[in-house]
Amino acid sequence: MKLSSQITHDIHDSEPPPILGTWARVNIAVLCWLAFLILLAWAFTEYFSA
Amino acid sequence: MTPLDWIVMAITIVAIPAFGLWKGRGSNTVNQYLLAGKTMPWYAMGLSIMATQASAITFIATTGQAYVDGMRFVQFYFGLPIAMVILSATAVPIFHKSGVYTAYEYLEKRFDAKTRALAAVVFLIQRGMAVGLSIYAPAIVMSVIFGWPDRVTTLIIGIICVVYTTKGGIPAVTWTDVLQMTIIFSGLILGLVTVVSLMPRGVSFTDAVYLAGAVGKLNAVDLKFDPNNRYNLWSGLIGGSFLALGYFGCDQSQVQRYLTGKSVAQSRLSLLFNATAKVPMQFFILFVGAMVFVFYLFIQPPMLFEKNAMKTVAALPGYQAAQSRFDAAWNRRTTAAQALNAARKQEAARPLSAALAEYRAAQTELDAARKNGIELYENSQNKGVLNPVKFNDTNYIFLSFVTKYFPVGFVGLVIAVIFTAAMSSSSGELNSLAAVSVMDIYRRHFRAGATDRHYLLVSRLFTAMWGVWAVVFAQYAKYLGSLVEAVNQVGSFFYPVLLGVFVLAFFFRRVRGSAAFWAMLAGECAIVGCAVFTRIAFLWYNVIGALVVVAFGLLFSIGKKRAPAAE
């Protein structure tokens, strides 16, 4: 018996994300969040190392 | 610990795996056992991915690292969200569509059997060593804290972990991880609230943050590019991205988590959840460590946090002088911190700049006094030894603080958090080691075409076998000495090669099996060359190794036609 055939779950590649409409927008939002965190951490470093 | 702490600890340690086993009941097929029948929601996968990556040492060492070295370690995680975005757009749909049990199974569909076998063996070597250490490292810390033999703490972690992983498979592992991460988050919040509430009268939260920052403990971002500096923005963004791509995209212990997803979208969300939560979480853990540093500005810490080392030093001839120097340096720093705090609030006549300079000088003197104590211990241990061992008590700082100053009951909870973190990372590793052993080695090379029941039984046996290996490895890890450090960095020796071959598989259809196989070997040679002949920081191996594999893969494929699309 070929085990791979047991994986019968439907793959919904085109399933949209729950927010922002498309995956591209979600990805951009995540990268913007990272940029914001780095900026915040840099400001934190600058402010408190004085 | 008080009886209440013991009760809290015992209940937490027993209840969590019991919950996982209950949720994982009914794992009666290989698909259920290794892939949870592809039914997992995004939040369970997301927390499980986080739990598998965050070992117990992450929590006890990271806080200690902030105490000693400040918060710059957070930059190590800056590349992770970038990697998660790339993987959610590429690896997740590809692995889901190909219907594989392991990431390496895909390599045979795309390349050939020998490339799959080489990748599987690379994974088994790397993860097989790491699984022992993920039990050993917290067990040795616990043994010092409790005064128990390390064999006992190793066995406690190992046996509980092996039982629920072998019995319940990945559903038990995932649901246990969910509960463990919830308790770990609670423990961290509790840690911060407790340390801030223990500050002396007159030292507010903002005062504490200022005092930590004044001596560089809040140095979260370093913009200066230096390839020999382990942690700066650039090594974190570039090296960290490659390391995270290799770890989350090519390491079965992580890939297996998101292969259990209900759909591509659920798996994507689990990775993107980690992308958004991981950096703030690490920042928070480091911040707790920085606050512990401020706490010890006003309550004298031991010269060495490791109790056994302190006992050894106390019996040495140079101890009195070293301890007197440390005491004097600590008194000077406490006075300087109080003066700085007063000057900052303009309650003191002394100008702020002078108070700041004195505080920083006092910190430098205290660091030197502590280093003197460390050297005293190292010299006593390394007499006549050819390969001297460096002493590092970073792992003991946070636990030493917890056991001495936390309220009754909460000590037990935090100790349980450490135990459960050790179990969560080990259980994920055991399950993935079993999956690769069965699917990529046993079924592929030794017994194809057996019944599902047979493979389920073999999967359980391999899980138990890897568990026994992990416990035995952990029992003997202390005899490896400095090799343990090397094993800790071993990921950067192997992940780049796996990452490189998956990049070739996903994006370069011209590259075929033999080219990929030899490119992997070329990449490994390049990494070993970097380690032996250069002083490049290990995070950069991830970039160099992956690029060499891709370059050689393309070089070996010149003149070849594009391969047909993999299934």
Side-chain angles (χ1 to χ4, degrees):
Chain A
M1 184 166 53
K2 191 181 176 189
L3 284 171
S4 304
S5 66
Q6 292 175 346
I7 305 167
T8 54
H9 191 84
D10 287 334
I11 303 299
H12 303 291
D13 196 10
S14 56
E15 189 183 334
I19 50 166
L20 302 175
T22 66
W23 287 105
R25 281 188 207 150
V26 174
N27 290 341
I28 290 168
V30 170
L31 293 177
C32 289
W33 170 245
L34 172 65
F36 171 72
L37 288 177
I38 292 173
L39 200 67
L40 208 62
W42 173 77
F44 178 83
T45 305
E46 290 296 305
Y47 184 79
F48 288 109
S49 63
Chain B
M1 292 212 304
T2 64
L4 181 62
D5 289 314
W6 284 107
I7 292 168
V8 169
M9 189 182 88
I11 289 175
T12 311
I13 290 175
V14 173
I16 292 174
F19 171 76
L21 277 175
W22 176 70
K23 291 289 280 186
R25 66 194 185 283
S27 295
N28 298 325
T29 64
V30 176
N31 189 17
Q32 276 283 342
Y33 191 77
L34 296 180
L35 295 180
K38 287 198 169 265
T39 56
M40 284 293 166
W42 68 268
Y43 59 89
M45 285 184 287
L47 287 170
S48 185
I49 285 168
M50 202 178 260
T52 304
Q53 196 220 357
S55 67
I57 280 298
T58 304
F59 297 101
I60 51 183
T62 305
T63 41
Q65 193 154 3
Y67 179 96
V68 174
D69 193 35
M71 293 180 63
R72 68 191 187 115
F73 181 59
V74 74
Q75 296 167 111
F76 180 81
Y77 293 93
F78 283 170
L80 187 144
I82 298 170
M84 292 304 199
V85 165
I86 295 170
L87 291 172
S88 73
T90 56
V92 170
I94 290 173
F95 286 146
H96 261 279
K97 276 180 186 170
S98 59
V100 292
Y101 278 91
T102 73
Y104 319 118
E105 196 178 341
Y106 173 76
L107 290 178
E108 181 165 6
K109 288 171 183 270
R110 173 63 182 83
F111 294 129
D112 55 20
K114 67 176 182 296
T115 308
R116 173 185 180 180
L118 179 60
V121 168
V122 164
F123 168 77
L124 291 175
I125 293 171
Q126 189 270 327
R127 192 48 57 192
M129 286 195 280
V131 71
L133 279 185
S134 60
I135 291 179
Y136 165 74
I140 201 78
V141 175
M142 291 301 194
S143 78
V144 172
I145 295 291
F146 290 132
W148 295 350
D150 54 68
R151 285 177 192 277
V152 174
T153 46
T154 307
L155 281 172
I156 291 174
I157 297 171
I159 289 173
I160 297 175
C161 187
V162 169
V163 167
Y164 78 78
T165 311
T166 305
K167 181 79 177 67
I170 203 163
V173 171
T174 304
W175 287 112
T176 306
D177 286 349
V178 170
L179 207 54
Q180 282 164 346
M181 279 313 293
T182 311
I183 291 176
I184 285 168
F185 283 137
S186 313
L188 287 169
I189 292 167
L190 178 70
L192 183 64
V193 170
T194 307
V195 71
V196 171
S197 67
L198 287 173
M199 296 290 174
R201 193 170 287 176
V203 180
S204 66
F205 177 68
T206 48
D207 296 337
V209 175
Y210 177 81
L211 289 169
V215 282
K217 300 297 177 189
L218 305 182
N219 54 344
V221 175
D222 178 3
L223 297 177
K224 193 178 168 193
F225 180 84
D226 177 2
N228 298 323
N229 180 0
R230 194 172 282 190
Y231 307 120
N232 58 50
L233 178 66
W234 312 110
S235 69
L237 277 176
I238 302 169
S241 293
F242 275 74
L243 178 64
L245 278 170
Y247 180 54
F248 293 98
C250 316
D251 187 311
Q252 178 64 18
S253 69
Q254 290 296 340
V255 174
Q256 197 163 345
R257 302 287 157 274
Y258 55 81
L259 282 178
T260 62
K262 280 181 188 172
S263 63
V264 173
Q266 293 289 311
S267 296
R268 278 176 163 163
L269 285 174
S270 72
L271 289 185
L272 296 177
F273 163 72
N274 272 273
T276 51
K278 189 72 184 173
V279 174
M281 188 183 100
Q282 290 299 331
F283 187 93
F284 187 80
I285 296 172
L286 286 161
F287 188 72
V288 172
M291 290 299 102
V292 171
F293 167 82
V294 179
F295 171 80
Y296 280 126
L297 287 176
F298 305 102
I299 303 290
Q300 185 168 357
M303 188 165 61
L304 306 180
F305 286 92
E306 213 260 66
K307 279 196 291 192
N308 294 342
M310 196 60 216
K311 275 183 197 164
T312 307
V313 168
L316 295 172
Y319 167 70
Q320 285 300 340
Q323 186 64 52
S324 299
R325 182 182 171 189
F326 183 80
D327 294 345
W330 182 80
N331 281 325
R332 180 185 169 193
R333 190 185 67 171
T334 302
T335 309
Q338 285 163 341
L340 177 63
N341 206 26
R344 189 171 152 263
K345 293 173 183 171
Q346 296 176 330
E347 291 167 1
R350 204 172 186 192
L352 184 65
S353 58
L356 189 61
E358 167 59 12
Y359 175 53
R360 286 175 176 163
Q363 178 60 43
T364 307
E365 167 56 18
L366 187 70
D367 287 341
R370 190 169 124 78
K371 196 178 170 200
N372 183 42
I374 290 172
E375 282 171 358
L376 193 65
Y377 177 71
E378 282 178 345
N379 291 339
S380 72
Q381 299 298 301
N382 292 330
K383 268 182 193 164
V385 176
L386 286 175
N387 186 19
V389 174
K390 284 270 177 196
F391 175 73
N392 185 351
D393 62 350
T394 310
N395 292 347
Y396 297 89
I397 294 171
F398 186 61
L399 279 183
S400 168
F401 165 74
V402 165
T403 49
K404 277 186 191 162
Y405 302 108
F406 259 42
V408 173
F410 292 144
V411 178
L413 184 68
V414 173
I415 299 291
V417 164
I418 308 300
F419 269 114
T420 57
M423 289 191 282
S424 63
S425 48
S426 306
S427 61
E429 290 169 334
L430 290 180
N431 193 258
S432 61
L433 283 163
V436 172
S437 304
V438 174
M439 292 298 161
D440 294 315
I441 306 293
Y442 180 78
R443 191 184 70 159
R444 177 65 184 80
H445 296 285
F446 294 97
R447 188 156 177 194
T451 61
D452 188 77
R453 198 176 161 182
H454 174 81
Y455 290 125
L456 177 64
L457 178 67
V458 174
S459 299
R460 288 189 202 276
L461 285 174
F462 268 107
T463 307
M465 190 204 79
W466 278 111
V468 172
W469 156 257
V471 172
V472 172
F473 186 94
Q475 300 279 354
Y476 290 96
K478 62 184 170 189
Y479 302 114
L480 297 175
S482 56
L483 190 61
V484 171
E485 268 180 49
V487 174
N488 268 331
Q489 294 183 1
V490 85
S492 291
F493 282 77
F494 291 116
Y495 289 139
V497 171
L498 292 176
L499 174 61
V501 79
F502 276 101
V503 169
L504 290 174
F506 291 164
F507 301 111
F508 298 98
R509 299 270 290 280
R510 196 178 298 279
V511 179
R512 302 291 185 94
S514 290
F517 180 83
W518 290 109
M520 281 177 81
L521 294 180
E524 201 55 67
C525 290
I527 294 166
V528 172
C530 283
V532 175
F533 299 114
T534 73
R535 292 181 59 216
I536 295 171
F538 75 92
L539 266 178
W540 292 101
Y541 299 171
N542 295 285
V543 183
I544 295 165
L547 290 179
V548 168
V549 173
V550 172
F552 273 84
L554 293 174
L555 188 70
F556 295 148
S557 305
I558 290 172
K560 299 276 168 61
K561 289 181 181 170
R562 283 163 63 89
E567 283 174 47

